């Protein structure tokens, strides 16, 4: 896979504001489109920011209302668009009960299959060229983080070395790059390791969901290309963070530092920091020295391939 693009649909905690919608993140993975959480109004944000509606799966971090009630209208919009193929919904228990209620709210029947999957810490959802790994976190209710992990890629193809070995340009080059051996006209066999450099690691994206800073997220985010971590509160709201099992921006920065992530994006802001997130940014910066941003609705970024 080559494209890995994130579009933040909603970056507010608990309640929408004039500037920020409720939680929602669209992730484009080559031809796949995934949603992580689907707060109220997410479908309007998808129109506004041009993500499209060809969603393959929705991953819910937990079932506080601000993270999942938008799925009701979203599914009905898909039906009105004539969708016929299945959509997959993933989340922690009680996903089956709550999502079944949401799916069947109202009198309209769905025109396409809806597959509901309950997942738990340690589960892995395989996808084409990547997987979504499930991580248990520390929140007031059963809650998850998700790590999107790209499959490893072959090493760089050394064109001159292939020519020296007599490999003809064309399909043989492609076979070697895919890890297949090639037999030449003179009977010699050229193997991938003869013309490829060391294998390259795939990219890793980690989405914390709502959580206190916890070791599970640090482990999951080790060497991640990007950590998207909730930062609901500032230092002077530490007591509130403990009470509600959320994180401060400083704590999010500490998680990023301990995990050695390459980039940190803060999201899920309390309305207190709606239009003035500079305090959160500064406090996270004291803990984490790498690339750091506070997300806003419509914020879009792409993760480049690893060298």
């Amino acid at each position: 896979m080559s494209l890995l693009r994130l579009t933040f649909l909603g970056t507010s905690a608990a309640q929408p504001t004039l500037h920020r919608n409720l939680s929602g993140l669209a992730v484009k993975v080559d031809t796949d489109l995934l949603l992580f959480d689907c707060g109220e109004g997410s479908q309007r944000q998808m129109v506004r920011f041009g993500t499209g509606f060809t969603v393959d799966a929705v991953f819910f971090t937990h079932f506080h209302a601000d993270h999942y009630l938008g799925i009701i209208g979203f599914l009905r919009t898909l039906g009105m668009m004539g969708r016929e193929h299945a959509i997959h919904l993933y989340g922690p228990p009680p996903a089956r009960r709550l999502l079944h209620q949401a799916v069947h709210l109202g009198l309209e029947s769905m025109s396409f299959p809806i597959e509901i999957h309950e997942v738990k810490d340690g589960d892995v959802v395989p996808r084409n060229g990547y997987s979504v790994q499930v991580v248990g976190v520390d929140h007031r209710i059963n809650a998850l983080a998700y790590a999107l992990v790209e499959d490893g890629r072959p090493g760089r193809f050394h064109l001159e070395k292939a020519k020296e070995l007599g490999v003809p340009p064309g399909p043989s080059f492609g076979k070697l790059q895919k890890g297949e051996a090639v037999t030449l006209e003179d009977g010699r066999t050229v193997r991938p390791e003869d013309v490829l450099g060391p294998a390259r690691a795939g990219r890793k994206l980690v989405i914390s969901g709502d959580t206190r800073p916890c070791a599970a997220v640090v482990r999951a985010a080790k060497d991640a290309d990007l950590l998207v971590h909730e930062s609901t509160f500032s230092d002077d709201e530490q007591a509130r963070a403990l009470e509600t099992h959320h994180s401060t921006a400083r704590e999010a920065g500490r998680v990023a530092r301990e995990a050695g992530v390459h980039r940190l994006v803060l999201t899920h802001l309390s309305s207190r920091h709606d239009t003035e997130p500079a305090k959160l940014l500064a406090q996270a910066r004291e803990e984490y020295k790498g690339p750091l941003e506070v997300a806003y609705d419509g914020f879009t970024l792409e993760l480049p391939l690893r060298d």
Side-chain angles (χ1 to χ4, degrees), residues 109-241:
S109 59
M110 287 297 175
S111 61
F112 56 94
I114 299 169
E115 304 290 341
I116 300 173
H117 311 269
E118 287 190 348
V119 290
K120 63 184 185 305
D121 179 56
D123 286 348
V124 177
V125 180
R127 305 283 302 178
N128 184 27
Y130 65 99
S131 62
V132 178
Q133 300 176 3
V134 183
V135 181
V137 297
D138 179 10
H139 195 40
R140 286 173 291 169
I141 61 173
N142 196 8
L144 303 171
Y146 292 103
L148 190 156
V149 182
E150 181 183 26
D151 295 350
R153 296 185 295 133
R156 294 190 180 279
F157 181 70
H158 297 297
L159 179 62
E160 294 304 318
K161 188 175 293 186
K163 289 180 177 178
E164 290 174 6
L165 292 171
V167 180
S172 294
F173 280 10
K175 287 183 178 180
L176 288 165
Q177 290 173 326
K178 292 177 182 177
E180 302 174 18
V182 170
T183 301
L184 305 182
E185 289 185 357
D186 60 10
R188 289 183 297 122
T189 298
V190 178
R191 295 175 175 81
E193 56 266 30
D194 298 328
V195 296
L196 297 179
R200 292 171 288 179
R203 291 163 289 184
K204 183 196 291 186
L205 161 65
V206 176
I207 300 160
S208 76
D210 287 10
T211 182
R212 289 289 300 144
C214 63
V217 173
V218 173
R219 287 192 298 269
K222 284 292 183 185
D223 194 38
D225 296 80
L226 174 64
L227 170 62
V228 177
H229 202 287
E230 72 123 297
S231 56
T232 311
F233 298 114
S234 61
D235 286 352
D236 54 355
E237 301 163 302
Q238 181 70 62
R240 182 66 175 155

Side-chain angles (χ1 to χ4, degrees), residues 242-290:
L242 289 167
E243 177 188 356
T244 59
H245 282 248
H246 283 294
S247 296
T248 66
R250 181 180 300 279
E251 289 170 331
R254 191 173 300 143
V255 169
R257 173 171 53 80
E258 292 175 356
V261 305
H262 296 248
R263 185 174 183 180
L264 171 63
V265 173
L266 306 178
T267 190
H268 199 267
L269 277 60
S270 164
S271 59
R272 299 174 183 85
H273 309 286
D274 181 25
T275 58
E276 297 181 359
K279 180 191 292 187
L280 300 182
L281 190 67
Q283 291 171 0
R285 169 65 64 210
E286 292 179 5
E287 298 289 338
Y288 174 72
K289 304 306 181 184

Side-chain angles (χ1 to χ4, degrees), residues 43 53 68-80 102 110:
Q43 61 176 328
F53 280 78
Y68 86 98
L69 286 185
I71 195 65
I72 298 170
F74 173 70
L75 292 175
R76 275 150 183 75
T77 294
L78 293 185
M80 292 176 67
M110 287 297 175

Side-chain angles (χ1 to χ4, degrees), residues 10-15 21-25 35-40 42 58-72 90 99 139-141 143-144 207-211 230 232 246 267-269:
T11 55
S12 182
Q15 60 187 13
N21 199 61
L22 295 173
S23 292
L25 176 62
L35 289 185
F36 290 87
D37 288 331
C38 189
E40 290 176 81
S42 288
V58 184
F59 292 85
F60 295 95
T61 60
H62 65 295
F63 291 106
H64 278 146
D66 57 315
H67 287 257
Y68 86 98
L69 286 185
I71 195 65
I72 298 170
Y90 298 88
L99 291 176
H139 195 40
R140 286 173 291 169
I141 61 173
L144 303 171
I207 300 160
S208 76
D210 287 10
T211 182
E230 72 123 297
T232 311
H246 283 294
T267 190
H268 199 267
L269 277 60

Side-chain angles (χ1 to χ4, degrees), residues 4-18:
L4 183 50
R5 182 174 63 222
L6 292 77
T7 302
F8 287 81
L9 305 175
T11 55
S12 182
Q15 60 187 13
T17 71
L18 182 63

